[in-house]
Coordinates of all heavy atoms in Angstrom, one line a residue:
K1 N -1.9 -174.6 26.1 CA -2.0 -176.1 26.0 C -1.3 -176.7 27.3 O -0.5 -176.2 27.9 CB -1.3 -176.5 24.8 CG -2.0 -176.2 23.5 CD -1.4 -176.9 22.3 CE -2.1 -176.7 21.0 NZ -1.6 -177.4 19.9
F2 N -1.7 -177.9 27.5 CA -1.1 -178.7 28.6 C -0.3 -179.9 27.8 O -0.8 -180.5 27.0 CB -2.1 -179.4 29.4 CG -1.6 -180.4 30.5 CD1 -1.1 -180.0 31.6 CD2 -1.6 -181.8 30.1 CE1 -0.6 -180.9 32.5 CE2 -1.2 -182.7 31.1 CZ -0.6 -182.3 32.2
R3 N 1.0 -180.1 28.3 CA 1.7 -181.1 27.6 C 2.4 -182.0 28.7 O 2.9 -181.5 29.7 CB 2.9 -180.7 26.7 CG 3.9 -181.7 26.2 CD 4.6 -181.2 25.0 NE 5.2 -179.9 25.2 CZ 5.4 -179.1 24.2 NH1 5.0 -179.3 23.0 NH2 6.0 -177.9 24.5
F4 N 2.3 -183.3 28.6 CA 3.0 -184.3 29.5 C 4.5 -184.4 29.0 O 4.8 -184.8 27.9 CB 2.3 -185.6 29.5 CG 3.0 -186.6 30.4 CD1 3.4 -186.4 31.6 CD2 3.2 -188.0 29.9 CE1 4.0 -187.3 32.5 CE2 3.8 -188.9 30.7 CZ 4.2 -188.6 32.0
V5 N 5.5 -184.0 29.9 CA 6.9 -183.9 29.5 C 7.7 -185.2 29.9 O 8.2 -185.8 29.1 CB 7.6 -182.7 30.1 CG1 9.0 -182.7 29.7 CG2 6.8 -181.5 29.6
N6 N 7.5 -185.6 31.2 CA 8.2 -186.7 31.7 C 9.7 -186.9 31.4 O 10.2 -187.8 31.0 CB 7.5 -188.0 31.0 CG 7.9 -189.4 31.8 OD1 8.4 -189.3 32.8 ND2 7.8 -190.5 31.1
Q7 N 10.3 -185.7 31.7 CA 11.8 -185.6 31.4 C 12.6 -185.6 32.7 O 12.4 -184.8 33.7 CB 12.1 -184.3 30.7 CG 13.6 -184.1 30.4 CD 13.8 -182.8 29.7 OE1 12.9 -182.3 29.0 NE2 15.0 -182.2 29.9
G8 N 13.5 -186.6 32.9 CA 14.3 -186.7 34.0 C 15.4 -185.5 34.0 O 15.7 -185.0 33.0
F9 N 15.9 -185.2 35.2 CA 16.9 -184.2 35.3 C 17.8 -184.5 36.5 O 17.4 -184.7 37.6 CB 16.2 -182.8 35.7 CG 17.0 -181.6 35.7 CD1 17.0 -180.8 34.6 CD2 17.7 -181.2 36.7 CE1 17.9 -179.7 34.5 CE2 18.5 -180.1 36.8 CZ 18.6 -179.3 35.6
N10 N 19.1 -184.5 36.1 CA 20.2 -184.7 37.1 C 20.3 -183.7 38.1 O 20.3 -182.5 37.8 CB 21.5 -185.1 36.4 CG 21.5 -186.3 35.7 OD1 21.0 -187.4 36.1 ND2 22.1 -186.3 34.5
G11 N 20.5 -184.1 39.4 CA 20.5 -183.1 40.5 C 19.2 -183.0 41.2 O 18.1 -183.4 40.7
G12 N 19.1 -182.2 42.3 CA 17.9 -182.0 43.0 C 17.2 -180.6 42.8 O 17.4 -180.1 41.6
L13 N 16.6 -180.1 43.9 CA 15.9 -178.9 43.6 C 16.7 -177.7 43.3 O 16.4 -176.9 42.4 CB 15.1 -178.6 44.8 CG 14.1 -177.3 44.9 CD1 13.2 -177.4 43.8 CD2 13.5 -177.1 46.2
K14 N 18.0 -177.6 43.8 CA 18.8 -176.5 43.6 C 19.2 -176.4 42.1 O 19.1 -175.4 41.5 CB 20.0 -176.5 44.5 CG 20.9 -175.3 44.4 CD 22.0 -175.4 45.4 CE 23.0 -174.3 45.3 NZ 23.9 -174.5 44.1
P15 N 19.9 -177.5 41.6 CA 20.2 -177.4 40.2 C 19.1 -177.2 39.3 O 19.3 -176.5 38.2 CB 20.9 -178.8 39.9 CG 21.3 -179.2 41.2 CD 20.3 -178.8 42.2
L16 N 17.9 -177.8 39.5 CA 16.7 -177.6 38.7 C 16.3 -176.1 38.7 O 16.1 -175.6 37.6 CB 15.6 -178.5 39.2 CG 14.3 -178.4 38.4 CD1 14.5 -178.9 37.0 CD2 13.2 -179.1 39.1
A17 N 16.2 -175.6 39.9 CA 15.8 -174.1 40.0 C 16.9 -173.3 39.2 O 16.5 -172.2 38.5 CB 15.7 -173.7 41.4
E18 N 18.2 -173.6 39.4 CA 19.2 -172.7 38.7 C 19.1 -172.9 37.1 O 19.5 -172.1 36.4 CB 20.6 -173.1 39.2 CG 20.8 -172.7 40.7 CD 22.2 -173.2 41.2 OE1 22.7 -174.3 40.7 OE2 22.6 -172.5 42.1
Y19 N 18.8 -174.2 36.7 CA 18.6 -174.4 35.3 C 17.5 -173.4 34.7 O 17.7 -172.9 33.5 CB 18.2 -175.8 35.0 CG 17.7 -176.1 33.6 CD1 18.5 -176.3 32.6 CD2 16.3 -176.2 33.4 CE1 18.2 -176.6 31.4 CE2 15.9 -176.6 32.1 CZ 16.8 -176.7 31.1 OH 16.3 -177.0 29.8
F20 N 16.5 -173.1 35.5 CA 15.5 -172.2 35.0 C 15.8 -170.8 35.3 O 15.0 -169.9 35.2 CB 14.1 -172.6 35.7 CG 13.5 -173.8 35.1 CD1 13.3 -174.9 35.9 CD2 13.2 -173.9 33.7 CE1 12.6 -176.0 35.3 CE2 12.6 -175.0 33.2 CZ 12.4 -176.1 34.0
G21 N 17.0 -170.5 35.9 CA 17.4 -169.1 36.1 C 17.1 -168.5 37.4 O 17.4 -167.3 37.7
V22 N 16.8 -169.4 38.5 CA 16.6 -168.9 39.8 C 18.0 -168.7 40.5 O 18.7 -169.7 40.4 CB 15.7 -169.8 40.6 CG1 15.4 -169.3 42.0 CG2 14.3 -169.9 39.9
E23 N 18.2 -167.6 41.2 CA 19.3 -167.5 41.9 C 19.2 -168.0 43.4 O 18.2 -167.6 44.1 CB 19.8 -166.0 42.1 CG 20.2 -165.4 40.7 CD 20.9 -164.0 40.9 OE1 21.6 -163.8 41.9 OE2 20.6 -163.3 39.9
I24 N 20.0 -169.0 43.8 CA 19.8 -169.7 45.0 C 20.8 -169.3 46.1 O 22.0 -169.1 45.9 CB 19.9 -171.2 44.8 CG1 19.0 -171.7 43.8 CG2 19.7 -172.0 46.1 CD1 17.4 -171.5 44.1
N25 N 20.3 -169.0 47.2 CA 21.1 -168.7 48.4 C 21.2 -170.1 49.3 O 20.3 -170.3 50.0 CB 20.4 -167.7 49.3 CG 21.2 -167.3 50.6 OD1 22.3 -167.8 50.6 ND2 20.6 -166.7 51.5
D26 N 22.3 -170.7 49.1 CA 22.5 -171.9 49.8 C 23.5 -171.8 51.1 O 24.0 -172.8 51.6 CB 23.0 -173.1 49.0 CG 24.2 -172.8 48.1 OD1 24.8 -171.6 48.5 OD2 24.7 -173.6 47.3
Q27 N 23.7 -170.5 51.4 CA 24.5 -170.3 52.6 C 23.7 -170.3 53.9 O 22.5 -169.9 53.9 CB 25.2 -168.9 52.5 CG 26.1 -168.7 51.2 CD 27.2 -169.8 51.3 OE1 27.9 -169.9 52.3 NE2 27.5 -170.4 50.1
P28 N 24.2 -170.7 55.0 CA 23.5 -170.7 56.2 C 23.1 -169.3 56.6 O 23.9 -168.3 56.3 CB 24.4 -171.3 57.3 CG 25.7 -171.2 56.6 CD 25.6 -171.3 55.2
N29 N 22.1 -169.1 57.4 CA 21.7 -167.8 57.8 C 22.6 -167.3 58.9 O 22.8 -167.9 60.0 CB 20.2 -167.9 58.4 CG 19.2 -168.0 57.3 OD1 19.1 -167.3 56.4 ND2 18.5 -169.2 57.4

């Protein structure tokens, strides 16, 4: 099924990705 969610989330891409369990490398190369 397809569902329209329209839910706001505080923070940008990094907090959103971490919310879904993605491990983020935010250190410089």
